[in-house]
Amino acid sequence: MIRRYRIGEPINTDSVVEQIKITTGEIPGWRKNQETRSLTFQLNDSDVVYGLGESIRGMNKRGWIYESNNSDDPIHTEDKHSLYASQNFLLVTSPERSVAVYIDTPGRVCFDIGYTAPSEMSITFDDFDADIYVIDGESRLDTVRQFRKLIGRSYIPPKWAFGYGQSRWSYMSVEEVRNVVNTYRSEEIPIDSVYLDIDYMDHYKDFTIDEDRFPDFADFTKEMKDDGVHLVPIIDAGVKIEDGYDVCEEGVEKDYFCKKENGKNLVAAVWPGKVYFPDFLNADVRKWFGNKYDFLLSKGIDGFWNDMNEPAIFYTEDHLSEVFEKIDTYKGRNLDIRSFFEFKDLVGAIDNNPEDYRRFYHDCNGQKVRHDKVHNIFGYNMTRAAGDAFRRLCPNKRILMFSRASYVGMHRYGGVWTGDNKSWWSHMLVSLKQQPALNMCGFMYSGSDIGGFTGDCTEDLMMRWLELAMFIPLYRNHSAEGTRRQELYCFGHQDWFRNIVQLRYALIPYIYGEFMKALLSDDMYMMPLSFVYADDKRAIEIEDQVLVGESVMVAPVYLQNSTGRSVYLPEDMKLVRFRSFDDYDEEVLVAGDHYIECALNETIVFVRKGHVMPLCAPAKCVNELDYSTIKYICFDAEPSEYELYNDDGLESITI
Amino acid sequence: MIRRYRIGEPINTDSVVEQIKITTGEIPGWRKNQETRSLTFQLNDSDVVYGLGESIRGMNKRGWIYESNNSDDPIHTEDKHSLYASQNFLLVTSPERSVAVYIDTPGRVCFDIGYTAPSEMSITFDDFDADIYVIDGESRLDTVRQFRKLIGRSYIPPKWAFGYGQSRWSYMSVEEVRNVVNTYRSEEIPIDSVYLDIDYMDHYKDFTIDEDRFPDFADFTKEMKDDGVHLVPIIDAGVKIEDGYDVCEEGVEKDYFCKKENGKNLVAAVWPGKVYFPDFLNADVRKWFGNKYDFLLSKGIDGFWNDMNEPAIFYTEDHLSEVFEKIDTYKGRNLDIRSFFEFKDLVGAIDNNPEDYRRFYHDCNGQKVRHDKVHNIFGYNMTRAAGDAFRRLCPNKRILMFSRASYVGMHRYGGVWTGDNKSWWSHMLVSLKQQPALNMCGFMYSGSDIGGFTGDCTEDLMMRWLELAMFIPLYRNHSAEGTRRQELYCFGHQDWFRNIVQLRYALIPYIYGEFMKALLSDDMYMMPLSFVYADDKRAIEIEDQVLVGESVMVAPVYLQNSTGRSVYLPEDMKLVRFRSFDDYDEEVLVAGDHYIECALNETIVFVRKGHVMPLCAPAKCVNELDYSTIKYICFDAEPSEYELYNDDGLESITI
């Protein structure tokens, strides 16, 4: 049961697809305070609060403050409030209730979930204009399903996007990409995609290719695809300001870029140097920008990632000159410590400065709206531009698309990756905890950079991370310029890495099938244990085990130098300890606490009682998987009891 | 068995107290490479590597690179290499061996412990001049004891320093301190000390007091002490440059400050603005600076903390003017992204810039030595100056002293706190893991800021942290300017906080007694489980349980929203679940794995089989504890089997 309430006059986000009549009057259970622009809800001791999609800390969000304020901040420590996404869905659960709230507003929202007062949840708005959807369900899953139905069916990626992807900022040339692919092939480590970060472009210009380093791009795309590898180029939000660059000149001519108060185009700087931002909130601009993807589609590209679309701003022209003027006032002075730190902070806060988000405007259906009022739907609308274009340009084909910034609604057009994480053991666990929350908010195709983006990865971290991410849809190893190389063949144990990635491929019948079943029925693919073991106090509290589809529980090892871990089984389960797809032990364990040994090269999977997990022979890429090789690992069940979903993985699916 | 080897011509650090003849020839087990200035050691799969004192990550240091390079870096993420200390002791252990190495050199050293190659440990030197002590023992403990004997008996704090301490940057006046103390007293939460951070001074000048905000300081110190509270002021390394300020003028006159290449005093800036650094490596300077503590001793002060003594440098005068000149070259230019980030980094890297450590010199027994060559012993010698002075000025009295920067050797003059941590759940666990490593290196009196220094603490974090730190010697709640107040009465459950801190006091007979027994016999107070359960594979791997003294194992809860945890018992133990000092359950558990419930207000303690834990009635401060109230929690043992160490806790102990 969903009720919709309205506060003020919210800007339409197009995040929901079902029109629900607005209920007038108080929002039951919520205390509204007009003065503080806040809503407050009472929490019971036994309540667990889920949601908020891509965010830090636990699956249970109690005990911290979160902000929906899409942020390009690469240091995801536990004290941060925002990452790149705004997914304003919260689910308050206990054995007694499953109530959810969805806050539909494109501006900044602050969620104090038992931080200030342990038994209160307070939501505070920059602008007190929002549609509030209150959802009451019979169970956690029922409530989520109602929400997912409200916001519409999630984006479906091609099946090859479940294979292993190799990324690096950046592979600099055709030769380098070829070398990566050849090494994976010769090491017999399966691979389905290589990502092209910003350097494939000509001076970081969207919809261009550096012809020197990537000549004959269509041929190269084909060469790779013939070897089972899809190239996935990045697209950034900012359009380089350059005479003669068609995207820039067209955008200027058509008046498609974001403007300052004075009507001039905002000049910001990102990777290409100075850029304009397309006004993605305008439908005409979306159509124009979306059509640009055809430059790459027509060269055989069938996958993209949209980046820097919070939007990230290294500086704006106006702010930078203000800073330089201000610096002059410090020079030559006998700086006391307060002035010194003011000076340092002045420079330190140039990039992604909140003031810059108040310097420019959008044209939303003829209405001039300051950016900060709609900040959180900017990246969503960039990806929507692409998604709509794909439906026009190649209506029968699935195109891989995922984005860094997001908002609910974008889940219909693409997936997400969780941005610039670190090669931290702690970030490995965070990446697992984010998955159920993303699923709740409609983001089914998602994942984090395996091995960590910035920082230096060790062999054991990479191995454990690949094991932990075994069932996570987006299975991509990505790392930043200047960090230790982390392609899997750069470490010592190629044989172990081969076994792990082959196991991933062997499990794709299960992974893809369960993903699609969940997606098509607005269900969860990865979920907290409480979604099934609803009354089990122990299960409800667990933060490092997750259910995957109908048959599997995962409980990965995520600590360095550990060769095992404690696992809680809410019911009898069958432990499968894989050393490779065809070398594994099975052991039935009774419900309760167990210490499970798990060597560095082992992946442990738990099969639920009465359930079945299919497994096929691996292949070098997803489309070569041979489903006739499928066998079944069963626990008190027969293979025939399992419904194996499959399709060609390429064609679009219409409702 | 200890052998000493020498490489090059090391500068004497005075870190060891036993003269051991130098053995010539190769260092057995180590591969020396003159070209890369490195030593390499082969690790077996089963080796666990302990040591490095105050550092990040696990008790087992395998799988990362650590650097001895004392650093004022307040962001202790798991990818950092250095904290504030250099404690170059490593212990390689397995059921088969316990071999240690101590690298005695005052410059930068890099420890690659299985990062580059999982089975190799490499030590690389900036200057290949060091004394290398190789220690072979019959057990982990035996090896540690030999090392501890080599470096001399650890600093002994007064007993009141085991009580609860309240700190804040900063309590700004007599009234504010009085209010803190009165509130603790009225809430009946025990307290023994209040820390005075930098604002008690007159413009951050060492050995001054702001007379407006802290008038009649000696009277106030007495007033507090009459109420059982010791004031503990901070002393910073830098001496403010100011005409008429006696410390500055004397230092200039006597030529006691660090000099640049050109012979002029280095001008750096820290909290007071521009400062000179006393040349603590010079014995005359140490004596002079040490005597200055008498300014506060004579006012009744009996405890200090030495800070900013890496030394932290916000900027040097010379470097800052270089930066401003360079900034001019960026101004007005059309900055491309590379230049923009160069400009940002230029300003971002002003403070604690490594180049600044090459701008000044010390007078080491008449030899002019550039600071970076002896960087890691600067803070040590500041604290040595104080410790030597205390022995001269009040030879029969214990003075509380701990320092931020340290090096082995300093352990004879003071303890350490682990610097500017964060209000992170992950930092709580780090603080526990640091203790055994600090003990190995001679640092017995130590602890971390409970609740976290920077960042905002929640009530549950504070409660769990107080429980986790229950047996840690330094039990201080400290937090930074601008963060949420975290005095214990600022949260909701004063009753729970009272119970927890009272339990700490009830356990002081055990804590203090075991601490002193360990200290006086060069033994470990807190240790990894492997020190006792030497052949137990599971115990060897455990990173979140620690042994304390002869009777106790702790296994605290350190995750938010958790009401229990898995615990491994290497032998039968008695679980004691405390809600308060006189409200607890006892339960005998058999060896093996257990899930232990532990509500937010509960502290769990495990008493080892055949052992005894004493417990007395709490009091408002340590010196009011009544040992006649002691009772004993025993597991298969009699009270009479326990040797309870006690003394007056105030008088110095000579060997």
Side-chain angles (χ1 to χ4, degrees):
Chain A
M1 158 79 163
I2 306 184
R3 280 185 199 276
R4 176 187 184 191
Y5 300 85
R6 174 160 283 186
I7 295 169
E9 294 178 23
I11 293 164
N12 181 26
T13 65
D14 287 336
S15 65
V16 306
V17 297
E18 288 188 345
Q19 285 310 314
I20 292 178
K21 218 172 96 267
I22 294 170
T23 301
T24 52
E26 295 300 297
I27 309 172
W30 292 84
R31 234 169 40 243
K32 184 163 125 187
N33 186 326
Q34 194 69 39
E35 203 181 342
T36 57
R37 299 192 304 277
S38 65
L39 296 171
T40 303
F41 185 88
Q42 201 66 28
L43 296 173
N44 300 329
D45 279 357
S46 62
D47 282 332
V48 169
V49 182
Y50 293 114
L52 295 184
E54 171 192 314
S55 54
I56 45 157
R57 297 173 81 100
M59 292 195 286
N60 184 353
K61 311 310 285 182
R62 282 188 86 151
W64 195 239
I65 291 181
Y66 300 85
E67 267 180 26
S68 280
N69 182 30
N70 293 3
S71 300
D72 169 32
D73 176 347
I75 305 178
H76 310 168
T77 48
E78 63 180 89
D79 55 351
K80 292 298 169 73
H81 302 288
S82 304
L83 295 183
Y84 309 86
S86 295
Q87 294 144 343
N88 303 338
F89 172 80
L90 283 168
L91 172 61
V92 179
T93 71
S94 70
E96 289 77 41
R97 62 172 171 178
S98 292
V99 293
V101 64
Y102 171 55
I103 307 292
D104 191 13
T105 185
R108 201 168 69 108
V109 186
C110 180
F111 302 88
D112 177 335
I113 308 177
Y115 165 83
T116 301
S119 60
E120 267 186 11
M121 175 160 82
S122 268
I123 304 177
T124 311
F125 299 72
D126 269 16
D127 295 301
F128 214 19
D129 300 293
D131 275 340
I132 312 288
Y133 295 87
V134 176
I135 309 166
D136 207 339
E138 282 171 16
S139 66
R140 294 162 177 88
L141 200 51
D142 177 52
T143 305
V144 167
R145 277 189 189 129
Q146 290 186 52
F147 176 60
R148 293 270 302 283
K149 191 151 175 287
L150 173 69
I151 59 174
R153 205 182 66 191
S154 301
Y155 159 78
I156 299 174
K159 191 173 178 185
W160 59 262
F162 290 80
Y164 176 80
Q166 182 61 56
S167 188
R168 174 82 178 173
W169 170 29
S170 297
Y171 296 122
M172 300 300 287
S173 66
V174 157
E175 290 70 37
E176 196 176 357
V177 173
R178 214 175 255 137
N179 181 51
V180 169
V181 171
N182 288 344
T183 314
Y184 274 92
R185 289 288 177 246
S186 67
E187 290 293 340
E188 293 179 20
I189 303 174
I191 185 169
D192 263 270
S193 54
V194 171
Y195 288 75
L196 301 180
D197 209 320
I198 51 175
D199 294 283
Y200 80 89
M201 293 182 264
D202 172 19
H203 293 86
Y204 312 124
K205 284 181 285 190
D206 281 339
F207 313 116
T208 69
I209 289 160
D210 185 306
E211 294 288 342
D212 290 333
R213 294 182 286 105
F214 290 89
D216 307 317
F217 194 68
D219 292 347
F220 183 57
T221 302
K222 181 169 185 308
E223 171 192 330
M224 288 292 109
K225 215 178 279 182
D226 287 346
D227 199 11
V229 171
H230 300 256
L231 298 178
V232 186
I234 198 168
I235 303 291
D236 278 1
V239 170
K240 184 171 172 49
I241 303 175
E242 189 179 280
D243 288 343
Y245 168 38
D246 58 342
V247 184
C248 174
E249 292 193 340
E250 277 175 41
V252 169
E253 192 191 306
K254 292 173 193 284
D255 225 9
Y256 278 171
F257 295 125
C258 292
K259 304 216 158 15
K260 298 194 289 188
E261 175 73 52
N262 66 9
K264 290 191 178 162
N265 289 340
L266 176 86
V267 178
V270 216
W271 295 120
K274 293 188 181 166
V275 300
Y276 297 133
F277 288 123
D279 184 358
F280 294 117
L281 273 65
N282 179 307
D284 294 337
V285 177
R286 281 199 299 275
K287 189 165 179 192
W288 166 73
F289 193 85
N291 284 338
K292 294 292 171 197
Y293 285 80
D294 199 38
F295 173 80
L296 290 156
L297 292 170
S298 66
K299 291 179 170 54
I301 291 297
D302 48 11
F304 300 89
W305 41 317
N306 282 348
D307 195 12
M308 305 290 282
N309 52 358
E310 294 73 29
I313 296 180
F314 294 160
Y315 64 83
T316 58
E317 192 175 49
D318 292 343
H319 184 221
L320 190 64
S321 52
E322 288 161 19
V323 167
F324 274 113
E325 266 169 49
K326 190 116 193 237
I327 285 176
D328 279 345
T329 69
Y330 290 103
K331 197 185 163 182
R333 272 171 56 190
N334 190 354
L335 290 190
D336 65 14
I337 291 307
R338 204 161 288 271
S339 318
F340 169 70
F341 282 114
E342 270 170 27
F343 157 67
K344 266 208 68 172
D345 291 349
L346 176 72
V347 176
I350 294 176
D351 41 335
N352 300 313
N353 191 294
E355 281 303 318
D356 279 334
Y357 295 127
R358 288 189 270 272
R359 287 178 196 267
F360 64 103
Y361 293 80
H362 297 275
D363 173 2
C364 303
N365 304 317
Q367 198 192 344
K368 182 175 170 183
V369 181
R370 205 173 66 188
H371 175 78
D372 62 304
K373 309 280 180 192
V374 289
H375 175 68
N376 293 333
I377 59 172
F378 184 80
Y380 155 24
N381 279 288
M382 179 190 179
T383 298
R384 184 185 185 187
D388 279 337
F390 301 154
R391 286 172 201 176
R392 283 194 308 275
L393 299 168
C394 34
N396 297 318
K397 194 173 170 187
R398 298 188 210 169
I399 303 292
L400 175 61
M401 162 56 68
F402 56 88
S403 170
R404 194 167 73 180
S406 66
Y407 183 88
V408 169
M410 202 200 83
H411 70 285
R412 300 193 300 271
Y413 303 96
V416 292
W417 97 104
T418 58
D420 297 344
N421 64 353
K422 298 247 185 204
S423 295
W424 290 352
W425 289 81
S426 55
H427 273 181
M428 187 183 355
L429 183 58
V430 168
S431 76
L432 186 70
K433 292 181 187 178
Q434 287 170 325
Q435 287 302 312
L438 283 163
N439 279 198
M440 287 175 207
C441 299
F443 291 86
M444 299 298 285
Y445 187 77
S446 57
S448 303
D449 290 343
I450 294 174
F453 177 65
T454 53
D456 293 318
C457 188
T458 55
E459 183 179 57
D460 54 352
L461 177 60
M462 178 53 80
M463 213 167 286
R464 287 304 193 194
W465 206 320
L466 288 166
E467 292 162 10
L468 175 136
M470 185 57 69
F471 292 86
I472 292 180
L474 170 58
Y475 199 63
R476 180 178 79 144
N477 172 350
H478 183 40
S479 59
E481 194 181 65
T483 62
R484 187 183 195 180
R485 297 302 298 217
Q486 64 189 44
E487 290 81 8
L488 302 184
Y489 49 76
C490 295
F491 300 105
H493 286 93
Q494 272 89 319
D495 49 339
W496 290 359
F497 285 118
R498 180 184 313 121
N499 289 340
I500 293 167
V501 180
Q502 284 186 345
L503 177 61
R504 164 75 178 202
Y505 279 70
L507 288 167
I508 280 181
Y510 183 77
I511 294 168
Y512 181 69
E514 291 299 314
F515 174 90
M516 288 300 292
K517 280 153 66 178
L519 191 148
L520 295 172
S521 58
D522 293 327
D523 215 330
M524 300 274 286
Y525 167 65
M526 297 189 98
M527 49 204 146
L529 269 53
S530 69
F531 272 60
V532 167
Y533 310 100
D535 301 318
D536 179 332
K537 247 190 105 224
R538 285 288 308 286
I540 288 169
E541 201 169 289
I542 281 175
E543 289 271 337
D544 60 357
Q545 305 175 199
V546 159
L547 296 167
V548 185
E550 66 173 57
S551 308
V552 164
M553 182 182 81
V554 294
V557 174
Y558 51 85
L559 299 176
Q560 193 166 30
N561 298 315
S562 285
T563 60
R565 56 162 289 176
S566 295
V567 177
Y568 174 71
L569 303 186
E571 60 177 331
D572 297 354
M573 290 192 184
K574 177 182 274 188
L575 162 66
V576 189
R577 184 186 286 107
F578 287 102
R579 282 166 295 279
S580 74
F581 80 96
D582 60 356
D583 175 16
Y584 55 86
D585 315 315
E586 298 177 55
E587 185 185 354
V588 170
L589 299 172
V590 297
D593 287 289
H594 295 268
Y595 178 83
I596 308 292
E597 290 188 359
C598 178
L600 187 53
N601 63 328
E602 292 176 336
T603 302
I604 49 176
V605 174
F606 297 85
V607 177
R608 291 175 56 198
K609 189 166 186 165
H611 286 276
V612 171
M613 184 177 74
L615 197 69
C616 70
K620 69 173 194 176
C621 58
V622 168
N623 75 358
E624 292 189 11
L625 288 172
D626 179 359
Y627 274 47
S628 77
T629 65
I630 285 181
K631 56 185 181 175
Y632 296 89
I633 296 179
C634 308
F635 178 30
D636 263 12
E638 293 299 321
S640 59
E641 295 170 45
Y642 181 72
E643 183 213 345
L644 177 66
Y645 174 94
N646 195 21
D647 58 30
D648 77 353
L650 295 171
E651 249 182 87
S652 290
I653 296 175
T654 46
I655 305 172
Chain B
M1 160 83 163
I2 306 184
R3 281 186 198 275
R4 177 187 184 190
Y5 299 86
R6 174 160 284 187
I7 295 169
E9 296 178 22
I11 292 163
N12 180 26
T13 65
D14 287 337
S15 65
V16 307
V17 297
E18 288 187 344
Q19 285 309 314
I20 292 178
K21 220 174 92 268
I22 293 170
T23 301
T24 53
E26 295 298 298
I27 309 172
W30 291 84
R31 232 167 44 239
K32 186 163 121 185
N33 186 325
Q34 196 68 39
E35 204 182 340
T36 58
R37 299 192 304 277
S38 66
L39 297 171
T40 303
F41 185 87
Q42 201 65 28
L43 295 174
N44 300 329
D45 278 357
S46 61
D47 282 331
V48 169
V49 181
Y50 293 114
L52 296 184
E54 173 193 314
S55 54
I56 44 156
R57 297 174 80 101
M59 292 196 285
N60 183 354
K61 310 313 283 183
R62 282 189 85 151
W64 195 236
I65 291 182
Y66 300 86
E67 267 181 27
S68 280
N69 182 30
N70 293 2
S71 300
D72 169 32
D73 176 347
I75 305 179
H76 310 168
T77 47
E78 63 181 88
D79 55 351
K80 292 297 169 77
H81 302 288
S82 305
L83 295 183
Y84 310 86
S86 295
Q87 293 144 344
N88 304 338
F89 172 78
L90 284 169
L91 173 60
V92 179
T93 72
S94 70
E96 290 77 40
R97 63 173 171 180
S98 292
V99 295
V101 64
Y102 171 54
I103 307 292
D104 191 13
T105 186
R108 203 169 67 109
V109 187
C110 182
F111 303 88
D112 178 335
I113 308 177
Y115 165 83
T116 301
S119 59
E120 268 186 9
M121 175 161 81
S122 268
I123 305 178
T124 311
F125 299 72
D126 268 17
D127 296 301
F128 214 22
D129 301 293
D131 276 341
I132 312 287
Y133 295 86
V134 176
I135 309 167
D136 206 337
E138 284 171 12
S139 66
R140 294 163 178 86
L141 199 51
D142 176 51
T143 305
V144 167
R145 278 189 189 128
Q146 290 186 54
F147 175 62
R148 294 269 303 281
K149 193 153 174 287
L150 174 71
I151 60 174
R153 205 180 68 190
S154 300
Y155 159 78
I156 299 175
K159 189 174 177 181
W160 58 261
F162 292 80
Y164 176 79
Q166 182 60 56
S167 188
R168 175 83 180 172
W169 171 28
S170 300
Y171 296 123
M172 298 301 287
S173 66
V174 157
E175 290 69 36
E176 195 176 357
V177 173
R178 215 175 255 138
N179 180 52
V180 168
V181 171
N182 289 343
T183 314
Y184 274 92
R185 289 290 177 242
S186 66
E187 292 292 341
E188 293 179 21
I189 303 174
I191 185 169
D192 262 87
S193 53
V194 171
Y195 288 75
L196 301 179
D197 209 320
I198 51 175
D199 294 283
Y200 80 91
M201 293 183 265
D202 172 18
H203 293 85
Y204 313 123
K205 285 181 286 189
D206 281 340
F207 314 117
T208 69
I209 288 161
D210 185 306
E211 294 287 344
D212 291 333
R213 293 181 288 106
F214 290 89
D216 308 317
F217 193 69
D219 293 347
F220 183 57
T221 303
K222 183 171 183 308
E223 173 193 327
M224 288 290 109
K225 217 179 277 181
D226 288 347
D227 199 9
V229 172
H230 300 256
L231 298 178
V232 186
I234 199 167
I235 303 291
D236 278 2
V239 170
K240 183 171 172 50
I241 302 175
E242 187 177 283
D243 287 344
Y245 168 38
D246 58 342
V247 184
C248 173
E249 292 193 338
E250 278 177 40
V252 169
E253 193 190 306
K254 293 173 193 284
D255 225 7
Y256 279 171
F257 294 126
C258 292
K259 303 215 156 17
K260 297 193 288 187
E261 175 74 52
N262 65 9
K264 290 191 177 161
N265 289 339
L266 176 86
V267 178
V270 215
W271 296 120
K274 293 186 180 167
V275 299
Y276 297 133
F277 289 124
D279 184 359
F280 294 118
L281 272 64
N282 178 309
D284 294 337
V285 178
R286 283 200 297 275
K287 189 165 178 192
W288 165 73
F289 192 86
N291 284 339
K292 294 293 172 196
Y293 285 81
D294 199 39
F295 172 79
L296 290 156
L297 292 170
S298 67
K299 291 179 171 53
I301 291 297
D302 48 11
F304 300 90
W305 42 317
N306 282 348
D307 195 13
M308 305 291 283
N309 53 358
E310 295 72 30
I313 296 180
F314 294 161
Y315 64 84
T316 59
E317 193 176 48
D318 292 344
H319 183 219
L320 190 64
S321 52
E322 288 162 20
V323 167
F324 275 112
E325 267 169 48
K326 190 116 192 239
I327 285 176
D328 280 345
T329 70
Y330 291 103
K331 199 185 161 182
R333 272 173 54 190
N334 189 355
L335 290 190
D336 65 13
I337 291 308
R338 205 162 287 270
S339 319
F340 169 69
F341 281 114
E342 268 171 30
F343 157 68
K344 266 209 68 172
D345 291 349
L346 176 72
V347 176
I350 294 177
D351 42 336
N352 300 313
N353 190 295
E355 281 302 318
D356 279 335
Y357 296 126
R358 289 189 269 273
R359 288 179 195 266
F360 64 102
Y361 293 80
H362 297 276
D363 173 3
C364 302
N365 304 316
Q367 197 192 343
K368 183 176 169 184
V369 180
R370 204 173 66 188
H371 175 78
D372 62 305
K373 309 280 181 192
V374 289
H375 175 68
N376 293 333
I377 60 173
F378 184 80
Y380 155 25
N381 279 288
M382 178 191 180
T383 297
R384 184 184 185 188
D388 279 337
F390 301 154
R391 285 169 201 178
R392 285 193 307 274
L393 299 167
C394 35
N396 297 317
K397 195 174 168 184
R398 298 188 211 168
I399 303 292
L400 174 61
M401 162 54 69
F402 56 88
S403 172
R404 195 169 71 180
S406 66
Y407 182 88
V408 171
M410 201 200 84
H411 70 286
R412 301 194 299 273
Y413 302 97
V416 291
W417 96 103
T418 58
D420 297 344
N421 64 353
K422 298 251 184 200
S423 296
W424 290 352
W425 289 82
S426 56
H427 273 181
M428 185 180 3
L429 183 59
V430 168
S431 76
L432 186 71
K433 292 182 186 176
Q434 287 171 324
Q435 287 302 310
L438 282 163
N439 278 201
M440 288 175 206
C441 300
F443 292 86
M444 300 297 285
Y445 187 76
S446 57
S448 303
D449 290 342
I450 295 174
F453 177 64
T454 52
D456 292 317
C457 188
T458 55
E459 183 179 58
D460 54 352
L461 176 61
M462 178 54 79
M463 213 167 286
R464 288 301 193 195
W465 206 321
L466 287 166
E467 293 162 9
L468 175 137
M470 185 58 68
F471 292 86
I472 292 180
L474 170 57
Y475 199 64
R476 180 177 80 145
N477 171 350
H478 183 38
S479 58
E481 195 180 65
T483 63
R484 187 183 195 181
R485 299 300 299 214
Q486 63 189 47
E487 289 82 8
L488 302 184
Y489 48 77
C490 295
F491 299 106
H493 285 93
Q494 272 89 319
D495 50 339
W496 289 1
F497 285 117
R498 181 185 311 119
N499 289 339
I500 293 167
V501 180
Q502 284 187 345
L503 177 62
R504 163 76 177 201
Y505 279 70
L507 289 167
I508 280 182
Y510 182 76
I511 294 168
Y512 181 69
E514 292 299 314
F515 175 90
M516 288 300 292
K517 281 153 66 177
L519 190 149
L520 294 171
S521 58
D522 293 327
D523 215 328
M524 299 274 286
Y525 168 64
M526 297 188 99
M527 19 187 182
L529 268 54
S530 70
F531 272 60
V532 168
Y533 310 100
D535 301 318
D536 180 332
K537 247 192 104 220
R538 285 288 310 284
I540 289 170
E541 200 169 291
I542 281 174
E543 289 272 337
D544 61 357
Q545 305 176 201
V546 158
L547 297 166
V548 184
E550 65 173 59
S551 308
V552 164
M553 182 182 80
V554 294
V557 174
Y558 51 84
L559 299 176
Q560 192 165 31
N561 298 316
S562 285
T563 61
R565 58 162 286 176
S566 295
V567 177
Y568 173 71
L569 304 186
E571 61 177 331
D572 297 354
M573 290 192 184
K574 177 183 273 186
L575 161 67
V576 190
R577 183 185 288 107
F578 288 103
R579 282 167 295 279
S580 75
F581 79 95
D582 60 357
D583 175 16
Y584 55 86
D585 316 316
E586 298 177 54
E587 185 184 355
V588 171
L589 299 172
V590 296
D593 287 290
H594 296 268
Y595 178 84
I596 308 291
E597 290 187 359
C598 179
L600 186 53
N601 64 326
E602 292 178 333
T603 303
I604 49 176
V605 174
F606 297 85
V607 176
R608 291 175 55 199
K609 190 166 187 165
H611 287 276
V612 171
M613 182 178 74
L615 197 69
C616 70
K620 70 173 193 177
C621 58
V622 168
N623 75 356
E624 291 189 11
L625 288 173
D626 180 359
Y627 274 47
S628 77
T629 64
I630 285 181
K631 56 183 180 175
Y632 296 88
I633 296 178
C634 308
F635 178 31
D636 261 13
E638 292 300 317
S640 59
E641 296 169 45
Y642 181 72
E643 182 213 348
L644 177 67
Y645 174 96
N646 195 21
D647 59 28
D648 76 354
L650 296 170
E651 250 182 87
S652 291
I653 295 175
T654 47
I655 307 171

